[in-house]
């Protein structure tokens, strides 16, 4: 572990170094790279959810002026590896989910390609499909391991006995729907094969990861694959791993005789083969003594995966460590369905899990006759309840207290459905936030002194709108003890030393640690007077503290809502998040991340709901007209602040991740505020108007409506 870095540039509220290029339209996104004489590919998607292709009639498409070729499983170039079954594109007649890519048209323009795709006739031998997630399925199974390496089940103490003898208990079931990531820039790629191999301009959170995956699936040396992604218009996890389109565009480029091939997903395609957040059904049981000390925590999760590839979300993992309780049990069960593969969506698992658990805590507070902030304070664990390790730093209580003070929480009357503002019922709610500190392996960085006297700092990191271009330059400048202008940062290209993926809120931590280690090595090797051309390349150092301490980012979110009992409309008028994330390296980009997460959480609480039609196995509301994402007009006064936190253990910058903690707990805070406003406790997100209409007859006794 390298020594802490003195902050000079770190901590400054800098605007994005690439901001001018972005607003003037000179920052090239994947689809915009100027390539010569491109072709365009448009996929043909399966119209059945399970079965086999028995015939393809491409004659009408082929006859179309401008169509170069029609790819099917029969004529597409063969791939080398099916290790990742999601990437086994156009290799077999099997159909595993509706919307799967079963063909593609390569044409001179994107319009012709799309027209051609509509003319391709595919005949299927359809088999019955199974796409329904229910807790009473008899085929739910326990995955061997959850994503990010977590155990599927944990069991400490004797929860059943603790529940039997508890003074106060809770047993409720919460559910969250399918949700689809929709970054402003859809998934897009340009691929070109030359004698040097494959070049792909890609909208990705991890150019090195895409390179590795493409090399494997196409059976070529990774040195023959180059992935370029300097600017990315959002990802939220959906671009954290390659998806079928990456392979499709690579296959199409193989038959394009050296010409580049372009693909950009339509919005509707964003709802089919590019991942989604699994729906969840979560049963939570809590026991507490008469003072509100938890004696039992049980969190049982049922969620789904695709038959074609396992994806097991870590939904109950925050429940394992948030609060103290001698008896605790968590479990995850999966239904394997004929659906596309789920994928990461901002704070995967943690977001739906914290929604359920933090609403349950609100319900428990009421049953204990305690303020919900006080309930959390009473259950603060001294060490990580799961591992027994000390915290590297944990300032949840500071966040709760500072938030309560600023939000003027004190003296809040817990009685629901009694505060009116004109025709609207008003309420407030609170929830905790948390996201783990992840350090992803696999990065390396090089530092060289250029002829202009500036340091070239190179790592295949990805800035997906987070501010990495700016913050990594700040870190490098401090590590090299030069001003920001002395650093020439290079990221977003797999030709550079490898970078771990921009996911798990780990980018700044992983890449930053690596850059600091490279700077140290450079200074050790060359001293104070390096000469032009001096350079080093260094792998990310291990952090031995990871095995000694529990490391998490915490926060507390407070929401004030208005609900119209006649229409069921909700307005989140005010929201405050207070976070403890170690050193904040750039207040401006950090605040943007945090309020972005909170905004996405409000959207989750109130709107986002991908509706599956079980008869066909597809998402019906696959566009922005019918899948509503919070717009500017939906968002009131949202603010994010942070408490001072000095953490010498996480990394040499002392900084924890901030990309995902902002969304964790948001939906619970909003749901808790809606209960406080209306007395309606609906446990199934999103909380749409139909669930909150009380017409003229408003229940004022706080009891749930039937
Ligand atoms: Mo984030 S969902 O870990 O890219």
């Amino acid at each position: 572990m390298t020594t802490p870095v003195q902050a000079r540039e770190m901590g400054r509220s800098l605007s994005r170094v690439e901001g001018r290029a972005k607003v003037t339209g000179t920052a090239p996104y994947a689809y915009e790279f100027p390539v010569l004489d491109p072709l365009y590919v448009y996929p043909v998607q399966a119209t059945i959810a399970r079965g086999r292709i028995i015939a393809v009639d491409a004659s009408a498409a082929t006859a179309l002026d401008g169509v170069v070729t029609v790819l099917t499983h029969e004529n597409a170039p063969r791939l080398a590896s099916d290790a990742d079954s999601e990437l086994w594109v156009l290799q077999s007649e099997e159909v595993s989910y509706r919307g799967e890519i079963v063909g593609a048209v390569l044409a001179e323009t994107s319009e012709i390609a799309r027209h051609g795709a509509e003319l391709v006739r595919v005949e299927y031998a359809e088999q019955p499909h199974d796409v329904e997630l229910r807790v009473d399925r008899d085929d739910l199974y326990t995955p061997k391991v959850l994503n990010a390496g977590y155990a599927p089940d944990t069991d400490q103490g004797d929860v059943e006995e603790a529940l039997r003898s508890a003074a106060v208990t809770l047993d409720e079931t919460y559910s969250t729907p399918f949700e689809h990531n929709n970054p402003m820039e859809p998934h897009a790629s340009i691929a070109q094969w030359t004698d040097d191999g494959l070049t792909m301009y890609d909208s990705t959170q991890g150019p090195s990861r895409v390179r590795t995956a493409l090399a494997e699936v196409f059976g070529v040396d990774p040195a023959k694959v180059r992935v370029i992604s300097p600017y990315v218009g959002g990802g939220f996890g959906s671009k954290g791993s390659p998806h079928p389109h990456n392979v499709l565009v690579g296959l199409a480029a193989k038959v394009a005789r050296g010409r580049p091939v372009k693909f950009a997903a339509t919005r509707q395609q964003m709802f089919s083969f590019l991942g989604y957040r699994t729906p969840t059904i979560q049963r939570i049981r809590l026991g507490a003594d008469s003072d509100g000390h938890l004696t039992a925590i049980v969190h049982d999760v049922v969620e789904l995966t695709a038959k074609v590839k396992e994806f097991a979300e870590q939904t109950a993992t925050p429940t394992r460590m948030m609060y103290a309780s001698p008896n605790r049990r968590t479990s995850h069960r999966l239904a394997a369905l004929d659906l596309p593969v789920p994928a990461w969506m901002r704070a995967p698992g943690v977001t739906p899990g914290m929604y359920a658990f933090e609403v349950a805590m609100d319900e428990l507070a009421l049953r204990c006759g305690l303020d919900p902030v006080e309930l959390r304070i009473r259950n603060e664990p001294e060490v990580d309840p799961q591992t027994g390790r000390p915290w590297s730093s944990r300032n949840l209580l500071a966040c709760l207290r500072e938030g309560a003070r600023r939000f003027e929480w004190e003296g809040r009357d817990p009685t629901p459905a009694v505060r009116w503002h004109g025709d609207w019922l008003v309420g407030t709610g609170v929830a905790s936030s948390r996201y783990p500190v992840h350090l992803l392996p696999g990065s390396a960085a090089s530092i060289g002194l250029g002829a202009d006297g500036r340091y070239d700092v190179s790592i295949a990191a990805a800035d997906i709108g987070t501010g990495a271009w700016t913050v990594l330059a700040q870190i490098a400048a401090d590590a090299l003890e030069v001003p920001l202008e002395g650093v020439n940062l290079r990221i977003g290209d797999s030709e550079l030393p490898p970078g771990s993926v921009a996911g798990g809120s780990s980018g700044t931590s992983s890449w930053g640690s690596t850059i600091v280690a490279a700077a140290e090595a450079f200074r050790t090797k060359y001293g104070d007077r390096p000469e032009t051309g001096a350079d080093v390349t260094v792998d990310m150092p291990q952090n031995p503290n990871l095995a000694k301490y529990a490391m998490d980012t915490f926060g507390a979110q407070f929401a004030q809502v208005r609900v119209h009992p006649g229409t069921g409309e909700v307005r989140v008028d005010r929201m405050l998040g207070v976070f403890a994330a170690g050193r904040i390296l750039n207040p401006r980009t950090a605040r943007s991340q945090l309020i972005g997460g909170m905004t996405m959480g409000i959207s989750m609480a109130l709107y986002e709901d991908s509706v599956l039609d079980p008869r066909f196995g597809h998402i019906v509301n696959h566009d922005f007209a019918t899948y509503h994402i919070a717009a500017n007009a939906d968002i009131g006064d949202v603010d994010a602040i942070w408490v001072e936190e000095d953490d010498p253990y996480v990394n040499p910058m002392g900084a924890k991740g901030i990309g995902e903690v902002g969304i964790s707990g948001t939906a619970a805070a909003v749901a808790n505020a809606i209960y406080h406003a209306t007395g309606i406790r609906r446990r199934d997100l999103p909380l749409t108007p139909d669930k909150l209409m009380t017409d003229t007859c408003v229940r004022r006794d706080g009891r749930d409506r039937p």
Side-chain angles (χ1 to χ4, degrees):
M1 184 70 175
T2 43
T3 45
V5 178
Q6 193 73 33
R8 294 184 177 84
E9 296 292 349
M10 293 193 301
R12 287 181 65 200
S13 198
L14 300 176
S15 57
R16 287 156 205 271
V17 294
E18 81 287 16
R20 176 178 290 270
K22 280 183 172 170
V23 299
T24 54
T26 55
Y29 288 78
Y31 199 77
E32 301 168 340
F33 270 87
V35 290
L36 218 59
D37 199 19
L39 291 169
Y40 299 81
V41 68
Y42 195 92
V44 178
Q45 296 179 254
T47 55
I48 62 164
R50 183 166 165 252
R52 220 160 32 79
I53 301 164
I54 50 176
V56 182
D57 177 1
S59 54
T62 314
L64 205 62
D65 209 20
V67 166
V68 173
T69 192
V70 177
L71 287 172
T72 69
H73 69 280
E74 288 170 345
N75 66 0
R78 294 300 93 186
L79 295 171
S81 166
D82 63 356
D84 183 341
S85 45
E86 188 184 2
L87 302 182
W88 194 238
V89 178
L90 296 183
Q91 303 297 297
S92 122
E93 71 279 8
E94 297 294 324
V95 174
S96 304
Y97 54 88
R98 189 177 163 119
E100 185 173 358
I101 297 174
V102 294
V105 175
L106 189 61
E108 295 289 343
T109 70
S110 59
E111 292 81 1
I112 296 170
R114 185 170 187 165
H115 184 195
E118 283 163 11
L119 299 177
V120 176
R121 292 286 159 261
V122 184
E123 204 181 316
Y124 301 96
E126 193 171 356
Q127 286 156 7
H129 61 259
D130 178 6
V131 296
E132 284 189 88
L133 178 67
R134 296 186 319 271
V135 284
D136 62 357
R137 294 180 65 104
D138 58 14
D139 61 349
L140 298 175
Y141 75 97
T142 310
K144 282 202 180 62
V145 63
L146 303 177
N147 291 348
Y150 292 101
D153 293 2
T154 58
D155 197 352
Q156 290 168 276
D158 184 345
V159 289
E160 299 301 340
E161 174 51 35
L163 285 167
R164 267 193 297 276
S165 56
V168 184
T169 58
L170 170 144
D171 181 353
E172 300 291 355
T173 297
Y174 306 83
S175 68
T176 60
F178 286 89
E179 293 157 9
H180 281 81
N181 268 320
N182 270 283
M184 276 215 272
E185 182 201 20
H187 296 61
S189 314
I190 305 175
Q192 185 168 24
W193 288 91
T194 65
D195 292 344
D196 294 333
L198 173 65
T199 301
M200 191 173 288
Y201 303 93
D202 193 31
S203 182
T204 179
Q205 295 172 226
S208 301
R209 182 181 177 129
V210 173
R211 176 173 80 160
T212 307
L214 292 178
E216 182 170 354
V217 77
F218 284 106
V220 297
D221 184 341
K224 290 266 186 189
V225 179
R226 181 174 180 187
V227 179
I228 299 167
S229 57
Y231 305 106
V232 179
F236 309 109
S238 70
K239 297 171 185 169
S241 57
H243 291 290
H245 71 284
N246 293 92
V247 179
L248 176 69
V249 71
L251 283 172
K254 274 205 155 185
V255 300
R257 297 168 188 275
R259 291 174 71 180
V261 174
K262 300 178 77 162
F263 168 81
T266 63
R267 256 328 138 187
Q268 295 201 340
Q269 287 162 353
M270 295 295 291
F271 289 85
S272 56
F273 54 80
L274 294 163
Y276 55 91
R277 199 197 287 284
T278 171
T280 66
I281 303 166
Q282 308 177 50
R283 181 181 179 198
I284 294 188
R285 289 184 288 160
L286 302 176
D289 68 19
S290 51
D291 293 329
H293 297 111
L294 285 160
T295 55
I297 300 174
V298 187
H299 191 166
D300 295 312
V301 179
V302 175
E303 53 197 8
L304 66 79
T305 181
K307 267 187 203 159
V308 69
K309 177 178 162 184
E310 186 174 274
F311 184 95
E313 277 233 326
Q314 60 268 45
T315 304
T317 52
T319 307
R320 297 172 181 172
M321 46 60 67
M322 279 304 290
Y323 304 113
S325 168
N327 308 292
R328 43 206 314 127
R329 193 169 80 201
T330 63
S331 73
H332 296 78
R333 298 293 175 267
L334 297 183
L337 302 176
D338 299 307
L339 287 170
V341 187
W344 300 319
M345 187 165 179
R346 207 171 197 165
V350 174
T351 297
M354 288 285 282
Y355 153 69
F357 189 38
E358 289 293 315
V359 173
M361 286 294 282
D362 197 68
E363 299 196 59
L364 186 72
L366 283 161
R367 292 178 200 193
C368 292
L370 280 174
D371 180 86
V373 172
E374 177 60 23
L375 177 71
R376 288 168 174 86
I377 290 171
R378 286 193 189 182
N379 288 289
E380 172 75 357
E382 282 185 19
V383 295
D384 178 358
Q386 196 193 348
T387 61
R389 288 178 193 156
W391 306 101
S392 66
S393 57
R394 172 168 166 137
N395 284 296
L396 173 60
L397 298 196
C399 295
L400 283 163
R401 289 187 171 123
E402 179 65 9
R405 189 180 71 76
R406 291 191 182 231
F407 209 74
E408 298 178 341
W409 183 265
E410 200 171 328
R412 171 183 181 264
D413 174 4
T415 316
V418 292
R419 285 154 302 275
W420 290 88
H421 181 88
D423 291 340
W424 299 72
L425 282 161
V426 178
T428 52
V430 65
S432 301
S433 300
R434 169 268 181 185
Y435 195 79
V437 171
H438 288 307
L439 198 67
L440 292 185
S443 289
S446 71
I447 293 181
L449 185 59
D452 60 356
R454 299 166 76 212
Y455 289 94
D456 290 318
V457 177
S458 304
I459 181 169
D463 187 327
I464 58 173
T466 53
W469 271 112
T470 311
V471 171
L472 293 184
Q474 291 176 273
I475 294 170
D478 283 352
L480 290 161
E481 295 186 16
V482 296
L484 196 72
E485 299 71 39
V487 171
N488 176 32
L489 183 72
R490 298 166 67 207
I491 64 172
D493 185 341
S494 70
E495 289 285 285
L496 304 171
S500 55
V501 94
S505 298
S506 71
T508 301
S509 205
S510 310
W511 309 322
S513 302
T514 312
I515 289 171
V516 169
E520 267 196 5
F522 187 95
R523 287 152 58 91
T524 303
K525 186 167 172 188
Y526 297 109
D528 285 341
R529 294 180 175 276
E531 289 180 6
T532 300
D535 77 298
V536 297
T537 301
V538 166
D539 288 339
M540 186 176 85
Q542 299 294 317
N543 180 355
N545 296 322
L546 282 170
K548 296 184 201 150
Y549 295 93
M551 300 182 181
D552 295 271
T553 306
F554 289 95
Q557 302 203 21
F558 295 78
Q560 180 184 316
V561 305
R562 250 183 310 145
V563 184
H564 194 289
T567 64
E569 288 168 274
V570 179
R571 298 280 183 274
V572 181
D573 286 327
R574 195 157 64 98
M575 190 132 197
L576 173 68
V578 184
F579 299 93
R583 173 187 277 150
I584 297 299
L585 297 176
N586 182 333
R588 189 183 308 217
T589 53
R591 182 171 179 278
S592 168
Q593 282 289 289
L594 294 167
I595 64 175
M598 293 168 71
T599 301
M600 202 163 163
I602 292 171
S603 194
M604 170 193 184
L606 300 181
Y607 312 123
E608 292 189 44
D609 184 6
S610 306
V611 179
L612 183 86
D613 187 334
R615 296 171 303 169
F616 305 107
H618 74 305
I619 299 299
V620 181
N621 54 334
H622 53 177
D623 55 48
F624 282 173
T626 48
Y627 183 97
H628 184 61
I629 293 172
N632 205 38
D634 297 315
I635 300 301
D637 173 11
V638 175
D639 201 7
I641 58 168
W642 40 86
V643 297
E644 285 290 314
E645 184 172 78
D646 179 24
D647 192 322
Y649 305 112
V650 282
N651 52 48
M653 300 81 69
K656 297 175 177 175
I658 48 169
E660 290 163 286
V661 71
I663 192 177
S664 129
T666 312
V670 172
N672 294 339
I674 287 173
Y675 172 78
H676 189 232
T678 62
I680 299 171
R681 185 74 79 176
R682 287 290 298 247
R683 300 180 181 85
D684 49 343
L685 289 188
L687 300 176
T688 43
D690 54 303
K691 296 173 182 171
L692 302 172
M693 270 194 292
T694 44
D695 208 354
T696 49
C697 167
V698 177
R699 292 287 295 257
R700 294 196 180 217
D701 58 5
R703 302 250 317 268
D704 289 4
R705 283 160 58 85

